[in-house]
Amino acid sequence: MKPFPRVYLELTDRCNLACPFCAGSNGTREIPVERLEPVLRQIAEITSEVRPHVLGEPLIYPHLARFLELCAKLSLTVKITTNGLAVDSVRGLLFESSALRELNFSLHSYDRSTHGTPEEYLSPILSLCDEFDRQNIPLHVNFRFWNIGTESSGGADKLFRLLLDHYKCDGFDASMPEEGRESVKLVNR
Protein backbone atom coordinates (compact mmCIF):
# COMPACT_ATOMS: atom_id res chain seq x y z
CA MET A 1 0.00 0.00 0.00
CA LYS A 2 1.30 3.41 -0.95
CA PRO A 3 1.51 6.07 1.78
CA PHE A 4 -0.83 8.65 0.21
CA PRO A 5 -4.31 8.11 -1.25
CA ARG A 6 -3.77 10.85 -3.86
CA VAL A 7 -1.51 13.70 -4.90
CA TYR A 8 -2.75 17.03 -6.23
CA LEU A 9 -0.56 18.33 -9.03
CA GLU A 10 -0.75 21.80 -10.49
CA LEU A 11 0.06 21.29 -14.16
CA THR A 12 -0.56 24.97 -14.83
CA ASP A 13 -1.76 27.95 -12.87
CA ARG A 14 -3.35 29.43 -16.00
CA CYS A 15 -7.12 29.42 -16.33
CA ASN A 16 -9.64 30.41 -18.99
CA LEU A 17 -11.85 32.09 -16.36
CA ALA A 18 -11.37 34.65 -13.59
CA CYS A 19 -13.66 33.45 -10.79
CA PRO A 20 -13.65 35.59 -7.64
CA PHE A 21 -13.52 32.51 -5.37
CA CYS A 22 -10.25 31.31 -6.92
CA ALA A 23 -6.84 32.76 -6.13
CA GLY A 24 -5.23 31.96 -9.46
CA SER A 25 -6.50 32.77 -12.91
CA ASN A 26 -3.85 35.07 -14.31
CA GLY A 27 -1.04 32.58 -13.94
CA THR A 28 1.88 32.06 -16.25
CA ARG A 29 3.47 28.93 -14.78
CA GLU A 30 3.21 25.36 -15.98
CA ILE A 31 5.22 22.19 -15.65
CA PRO A 32 7.60 21.98 -18.63
CA VAL A 33 7.07 18.84 -20.69
CA GLU A 34 10.59 17.60 -19.92
CA ARG A 35 9.81 17.68 -16.16
CA LEU A 36 6.59 15.65 -16.43
CA GLU A 37 8.09 12.17 -16.41
CA PRO A 38 10.48 12.72 -13.47
CA VAL A 39 7.71 14.37 -11.43
CA LEU A 40 5.18 11.64 -12.23
CA ARG A 41 7.71 8.90 -11.42
CA GLN A 42 8.17 10.43 -7.98
CA ILE A 43 4.41 10.65 -7.52
CA ALA A 44 3.95 7.01 -8.59
CA GLU A 45 6.24 5.94 -5.75
CA ILE A 46 3.90 7.38 -3.12
CA THR A 47 0.37 7.10 -4.59
CA SER A 48 -1.67 5.52 -7.34
CA GLU A 49 -3.92 8.54 -7.97
CA VAL A 50 -3.11 12.00 -9.27
CA ARG A 51 -5.49 14.95 -9.44
CA PRO A 52 -4.20 17.67 -11.77
CA HIS A 53 -6.02 20.59 -10.23
CA VAL A 54 -4.95 23.19 -7.73
CA LEU A 55 -5.39 26.67 -9.21
CA GLY A 56 -5.22 26.29 -12.98
CA GLU A 57 -7.46 24.69 -15.58
CA PRO A 58 -5.91 21.30 -16.46
CA LEU A 59 -7.65 20.98 -19.84
CA ILE A 60 -5.76 24.00 -21.21
CA TYR A 61 -2.37 22.58 -20.20
CA PRO A 62 -0.49 22.30 -23.53
CA HIS A 63 1.07 18.93 -22.62
CA LEU A 64 -2.09 17.22 -21.41
CA ALA A 65 -1.69 14.36 -23.91
CA ARG A 66 1.80 13.58 -22.62
CA PHE A 67 0.59 13.86 -19.01
CA LEU A 68 -2.21 11.33 -19.59
CA GLU A 69 0.11 9.03 -21.55
CA LEU A 70 2.69 9.02 -18.75
CA CYS A 71 0.04 8.46 -16.07
CA ALA A 72 -1.18 5.38 -17.95
CA LYS A 73 2.40 4.13 -18.38
CA LEU A 74 3.07 4.56 -14.63
CA SER A 75 -0.28 3.03 -13.59
CA LEU A 76 -1.52 6.29 -12.11
CA THR A 77 -5.25 6.93 -12.21
CA VAL A 78 -6.30 10.47 -13.04
CA LYS A 79 -9.22 12.45 -11.62
CA ILE A 80 -9.63 15.83 -13.31
CA THR A 81 -11.55 18.85 -12.04
CA THR A 82 -12.42 21.34 -14.78
CA ASN A 83 -14.76 24.21 -15.55
CA GLY A 84 -15.59 22.30 -18.73
CA LEU A 85 -15.03 25.12 -21.20
CA ALA A 86 -12.22 23.33 -23.02
CA VAL A 87 -13.75 19.83 -23.32
CA ASP A 88 -14.24 20.06 -27.06
CA SER A 89 -10.57 20.87 -27.65
CA VAL A 90 -9.36 17.77 -25.73
CA ARG A 91 -12.27 15.41 -26.32
CA GLY A 92 -10.20 12.83 -28.18
CA LEU A 93 -7.50 12.79 -25.49
CA LEU A 94 -10.08 12.15 -22.79
CA PHE A 95 -11.59 9.21 -24.70
CA GLU A 96 -8.21 7.69 -25.48
CA SER A 97 -6.80 7.87 -21.96
CA SER A 98 -6.78 4.62 -20.05
CA ALA A 99 -5.68 6.51 -16.94
CA LEU A 100 -8.74 8.80 -16.68
CA ARG A 101 -11.19 7.61 -14.00
CA GLU A 102 -13.13 10.72 -13.01
CA LEU A 103 -14.21 14.08 -14.41
CA ASN A 104 -15.47 16.76 -12.03
CA PHE A 105 -17.17 19.71 -13.67
CA SER A 106 -17.14 22.85 -11.51
CA LEU A 107 -20.34 24.34 -12.84
CA HIS A 108 -20.50 27.04 -10.17
CA SER A 109 -17.95 28.91 -12.27
CA TYR A 110 -20.60 29.57 -14.93
CA ASP A 111 -21.65 32.91 -13.44
CA ARG A 112 -18.22 34.31 -14.22
CA SER A 113 -18.18 32.88 -17.72
CA THR A 114 -18.85 34.85 -20.83
CA HIS A 115 -19.34 31.66 -22.80
CA GLY A 116 -22.97 31.88 -23.84
CA THR A 117 -26.25 30.69 -22.42
CA PRO A 118 -26.49 27.88 -19.86
CA GLU A 119 -27.57 25.57 -22.70
CA GLU A 120 -24.56 26.53 -24.83
CA TYR A 121 -22.22 26.05 -21.88
CA LEU A 122 -23.58 22.62 -20.93
CA SER A 123 -23.96 21.26 -24.46
CA PRO A 124 -20.34 20.11 -25.04
CA ILE A 125 -20.07 18.82 -21.46
CA LEU A 126 -23.23 16.73 -21.75
CA SER A 127 -22.27 15.55 -25.23
CA LEU A 128 -18.96 14.30 -23.83
CA CYS A 129 -20.63 12.57 -20.89
CA ASP A 130 -23.24 10.96 -23.14
CA GLU A 131 -20.51 9.64 -25.43
CA PHE A 132 -18.61 8.12 -22.50
CA ASP A 133 -21.88 6.45 -21.50
CA ARG A 134 -22.63 5.20 -25.04
CA GLN A 135 -19.15 3.71 -25.30
CA ASN A 136 -19.56 2.17 -21.84
CA ILE A 137 -16.30 3.74 -20.67
CA PRO A 138 -16.03 3.41 -16.88
CA LEU A 139 -15.80 7.02 -15.82
CA HIS A 140 -17.22 8.71 -12.73
CA VAL A 141 -18.66 12.15 -13.50
CA ASN A 142 -19.53 14.81 -10.92
CA PHE A 143 -21.28 18.09 -11.57
CA ARG A 144 -20.27 20.48 -8.80
CA PHE A 145 -22.29 23.42 -7.54
CA TRP A 146 -21.03 25.30 -4.50
CA ASN A 147 -23.48 28.13 -4.82
CA ILE A 148 -26.82 26.59 -5.77
CA GLY A 149 -29.76 28.07 -3.88
CA THR A 150 -27.75 31.12 -2.76
CA GLU A 151 -28.05 34.75 -3.80
CA SER A 152 -24.82 34.38 -5.78
CA SER A 153 -25.99 31.32 -7.72
CA GLY A 154 -26.80 33.25 -10.90
CA GLY A 155 -27.04 30.64 -13.64
CA ALA A 156 -26.23 27.68 -11.38
CA ASP A 157 -29.89 27.01 -10.60
CA LYS A 158 -30.66 27.00 -14.34
CA LEU A 159 -27.75 24.65 -15.03
CA PHE A 160 -28.98 22.27 -12.33
CA ARG A 161 -32.48 22.24 -13.84
CA LEU A 162 -30.97 21.52 -17.27
CA LEU A 163 -29.07 18.56 -15.81
CA LEU A 164 -32.24 17.23 -14.19
CA ASP A 165 -34.03 17.51 -17.54
CA HIS A 166 -31.16 15.94 -19.49
CA TYR A 167 -30.95 12.95 -17.18
CA LYS A 168 -34.76 12.73 -16.88
CA CYS A 169 -34.79 13.12 -13.11
CA ASP A 170 -38.49 13.62 -12.52
CA GLY A 171 -39.46 14.36 -8.96
CA PHE A 172 -36.33 16.24 -7.90
CA ASP A 173 -36.72 19.72 -6.52
CA ALA A 174 -34.65 22.06 -8.73
CA SER A 175 -33.14 23.64 -5.61
CA MET A 176 -31.50 20.36 -4.59
CA PRO A 177 -29.36 19.35 -2.89
CA GLU A 178 -31.15 20.22 0.32
CA GLU A 179 -29.32 21.68 3.26
CA GLY A 180 -27.29 18.93 4.88
CA ARG A 181 -27.02 16.92 1.64
CA GLU A 182 -23.83 17.11 -0.31
CA SER A 183 -24.94 15.38 -3.47
CA VAL A 184 -27.77 14.15 -5.62
CA LYS A 185 -27.28 11.05 -7.75
CA LEU A 186 -28.66 11.71 -11.22
CA VAL A 187 -27.78 8.48 -13.01
CA ASN A 188 -27.19 4.94 -11.81
CA ARG A 189 -24.34 3.26 -13.67
Side-chain angles (χ1 to χ4, degrees):
M1 175 137 174
K2 297 190 179 183
F4 295 99
R6 71 196 59 84
V7 167
Y8 291 86
L9 177 66
E10 185 176 285
L11 295 173
T12 180
D13 65 352
R14 293 183 311 114
C15 187
N16 50 359
L17 292 177
C19 301
F21 57 80
C22 184
S25 61
N26 299 325
T28 58
R29 297 175 300 155
E30 57 193 28
I31 297 176
V33 68
E34 64 274 3
R35 292 286 306 137
L36 270 179
E37 188 163 4
V39 167
L40 289 172
R41 284 191 182 282
Q42 289 177 338
I43 289 171
E45 291 176 12
I46 60 171
T47 191
S48 58
E49 178 185 309
V50 64
R51 295 187 182 201
H53 176 73
V54 181
L55 293 176
E57 169 55 52
L59 298 188
I60 65 171
Y61 177 59
H63 312 295
L64 183 63
R66 182 68 176 144
F67 167 76
L68 291 170
E69 173 190 318
L70 287 167
C71 286
K73 176 182 168 184
L74 297 169
S75 299
L76 287 166
T77 60
V78 176
K79 296 184 177 183
I80 293 176
T81 297
T82 175
N83 59 40
L85 292 173
V87 295
D88 277 345
S89 65
V90 296
R91 187 180 182 102
L93 294 177
L94 299 176
F95 281 112
E96 294 167 8
S97 176
S98 62
L100 185 62
R101 293 291 179 272
E102 183 173 290
L103 276 173
N104 300 296
F105 294 99
S106 295
L107 299 181
H108 50 273
S109 63
Y110 171 76
D111 286 342
R112 309 305 172 238
S113 171
T114 58
H115 293 81
T117 66
E119 293 84 358
E120 290 167 334
Y121 174 53
L122 272 184
S123 180
I125 293 170
L126 292 175
S127 171
L128 178 79
C129 294
D130 289 347
E131 188 59 29
F132 272 111
D133 193 40
R134 272 193 294 281
Q135 292 187 28
N136 204 27
I137 295 172
L139 182 74
H140 191 101
V141 175
N142 293 300
F143 299 106
R144 294 183 173 179
F145 296 95
W146 294 347
N147 56 352
I148 198 160
T150 67
E151 288 183 29
S152 66
S153 67
D157 293 309
K158 172 71 172 166
L159 292 173
F160 189 69
R161 285 191 298 276
L162 289 169
L163 287 173
L164 292 176
D165 289 345
H166 182 81
Y167 289 108
K168 297 171 182 42
C169 298
D170 297 330
F172 279 102
D173 178 352
S175 65
M176 293 281 264
E178 299 167 349
E179 188 172 328
R181 289 187 69 180
E182 294 183 5
S183 64
V184 173
K185 190 172 197 172
L186 297 179
V187 177
N188 285 321
R189 276 198 34 180

